Amino acid sequence: MLSASALSSFFINRSVALLALCQALLTTGNVLLVSVLALIGNQLADQPALATLPVAVQFLGTMLAAYPASLLMKRIGRRAGFWIGNGLGIVGALVAFWALGRESMLLFCFGSALIGACIGISQLYRFAAVDVSDEAHKHRAISLVMAGGLVAALVGPALAIWSRDWLPDLLYGGNYLALVLIYLLAITALGWVRVPPSSDEEVHGQARPIAEVVRQPVFIVAVLGAVVAYAVMVLIMNATPLSMQACGFSFGITAGVIQWHVLGMFAPSFITGRLISRFGVTTIMLVGAVLMIGCILVNLQGIGRWHFTSALILLGVGWNFLFIGSTSLLTEAYRPAEKARAQGINEMLVSMSVMVASFCSGLLQNLWGWDWVNLAMAPPLALVVIAILWLGRIKGTEQPA
């Protein structure tokens, strides 16, 4: 028979795997939405300028849900919080489906906002992985959960194309039925996840004022790294298709470049946690920032297919190292009683950066051009490099685990 410790280890490992599955489902749904949202907005909008309104509303829902969701989970637990999040996603997808039939932009935006709230809540899967892992394995748990996004890179685009034709009389309606199925699968998988309830220390423990928590160098660098990683990645990724189209590349070639980028984002996750344990979190964050700077340098060298492909692979791997490293670093910045607020603030700021970057990518590309889009991303990345080196100096040389 299995000992109590072995049984506990089995449940912990299984929970990490199930959280990775939930992350894969979430990201698959996100990729599906990226494929259709702007097209639907263009179909429903009275004016072309409003075509991306559902995208903005979805990001707004994500941003507004992140902080309250973290506080709610402190009270009712991770699993119940994720169930609520996926439930909101199901309602949002059904509202959006209904709105398509009624050709109502207002209803569609409402549904998109609910889906955004689902995404904002479900982005906490990687922090739940920390809760079901011991201290020695938390980096690998975060990394493995993020690796679920690799499934999305392979399945998401195909699912978007396949489900679009499920209902011939309602274009894109099948996409939202597929989204309902995705969130139902996540709810089912969460039923097998074993997340320990919030400890007495988390609920009733002594917590410092939030201003004191956010002033810590560790917190500042962790949040700065996550915000810049996501903002730079989203802005360059969204501007790349526009630039490639202007250079005369076909949609198929552009889609292939984006797929290589998504693979670069998630494939390294199988080893990122081990690299963090081996070389230290700040070292991996620094490598990630340098790789993203490398993306900018390659983009500035030319506009050939090789330039776009190699640059976006560098962008994806750099994002992986910097974002997962920042998530791991954030876990060092708070006490148990401060966890919910610290994680909530981090998620809210990351979501805000994604919303701003999504809005600005096309604007900068049209106003300044491809070279200046890349040059504009160099200062925030340079700031991250300086901040990481500053933190390393404060903490001293980090020894391999």
Side-chain angles (χ1 to χ4, degrees):
M1 294 180 61
L2 290 173
S3 66
S5 61
L7 190 62
S8 174
S9 176
F10 168 76
F11 279 126
I12 288 173
N13 293 335
R14 186 180 70 173
S15 292
V16 171
L18 288 167
L19 288 168
L21 172 61
C22 290
Q23 180 70 39
L25 291 167
L26 172 70
T27 313
T28 298
N30 293 349
V31 171
L32 185 154
L33 288 167
V34 168
S35 303
V36 302
L37 257 183
L39 297 174
I40 295 172
N42 189 55
Q43 176 181 297
L44 297 179
D46 294 330
Q47 304 174 23
L50 297 178
T52 57
L53 180 61
V55 181
V57 170
Q58 179 179 295
F59 282 129
L60 181 63
T62 299
M63 182 187 71
L64 294 178
Y67 185 71
S70 188
L71 296 181
L72 178 65
M73 288 184 186
K74 179 179 179 179
R75 298 296 177 186
I76 67 174
R78 293 284 195 195
R79 185 166 61 175
F82 291 138
W83 272 336
I84 291 173
N86 282 283
L88 287 173
I90 291 171
V91 174
L94 292 175
V95 169
F97 177 82
W98 185 35
L100 286 172
R102 295 175 60 90
E103 298 184 351
S104 170
M105 177 64 118
L106 182 62
L107 271 177
F108 187 75
C109 285
F110 177 60
S112 296
L114 292 176
I115 293 171
C118 165
I119 295 170
I121 296 170
S122 300
Q123 284 177 343
L124 295 167
Y125 285 139
R126 68 189 194 279
F127 288 115
V130 176
D131 296 341
V132 299
S133 305
D134 55 41
E135 183 68 19
H137 296 96
K138 68 177 183 180
H139 305 308
R140 297 181 187 180
I142 294 170
S143 184
L144 287 173
V145 167
M146 293 301 296
L150 184 61
V151 176
L154 302 173
V155 176
L159 180 61
I161 295 170
W162 179 48
S163 61
R164 182 182 58 184
D165 299 324
W166 282 0
L167 302 173
D169 296 331
L170 186 60
L171 187 62
Y172 306 116
N175 294 132
Y176 282 86
L177 294 182
L179 208 59
V180 170
L181 294 177
I182 285 172
Y183 296 143
L184 283 172
L185 284 173
I187 287 175
T188 303
L190 286 165
W192 294 90
V193 175
R194 299 292 183 263
V195 183
S198 299
S199 65
D200 289 339
E201 191 176 3
E202 290 179 40
V203 178
H204 304 295
Q206 184 177 6
R208 295 166 291 179
I210 193 62
E212 183 178 342
V213 175
V214 301
R215 285 199 302 265
Q216 297 174 100
V218 171
F219 185 91
I220 293 170
V221 175
V223 173
L224 178 65
V227 165
V228 171
Y230 240 119
V232 171
M233 185 275 294
V234 166
L235 198 146
I236 293 179
M237 179 187 69
N238 286 344
T240 294
L242 299 175
S243 180
M244 292 187 69
Q245 183 182 55
C247 294
F249 288 101
S250 68
F251 176 77
I253 292 176
T254 301
V257 169
I258 296 299
Q259 188 166 42
W260 276 110
H261 165 65
V262 177
L263 289 171
M265 287 175 63
F266 296 109
S269 297
F270 292 104
I271 63 169
T272 305
R274 292 181 180 274
L275 293 175
I276 290 173
S277 297
R278 175 68 177 85
F279 298 105
V281 64
T282 54
T283 299
I284 299 306
M285 288 176 65
L286 186 61
V287 171
V290 170
L291 288 173
M292 296 183 83
I293 292 173
C295 160
I296 293 173
L297 294 176
V298 172
N299 276 333
L300 293 174
Q301 297 305 307
I303 51 175
R305 181 176 179 178
W306 178 89
H307 295 96
F308 286 116
T309 303
S310 56
L312 257 67
I313 291 173
L314 288 172
L315 181 67
V317 177
W319 172 85
N320 182 282
F321 286 177
L322 183 54
F323 185 70
I324 292 179
S326 297
T327 300
S328 296
L329 183 63
L330 185 71
T331 63
E332 302 176 15
Y334 49 74
R335 299 171 182 172
E338 301 159 355
K339 178 173 70 174
R341 289 184 298 167
Q343 292 178 358
I345 290 173
N346 179 77
E347 294 305 289
M348 182 177 65
L349 292 175
V350 169
S351 299
M352 186 184 302
S353 75
V354 172
M355 182 175 66
V356 173
S358 298
F359 175 76
C360 291
S361 58
L363 184 65
L364 292 178
Q365 172 70 17
N366 288 322
L367 289 178
W368 293 354
W370 179 239
D371 284 353
W372 280 103
V373 166
N374 283 276
L375 288 170
M377 296 300 98
L381 286 169
L383 179 61
V384 168
V385 170
I386 293 170
I388 294 170
L389 294 174
W390 167 65
L391 179 64
R393 186 166 185 174
I394 291 174
K395 294 175 66 178
T397 303
E398 195 168 3
Q399 298 296 323

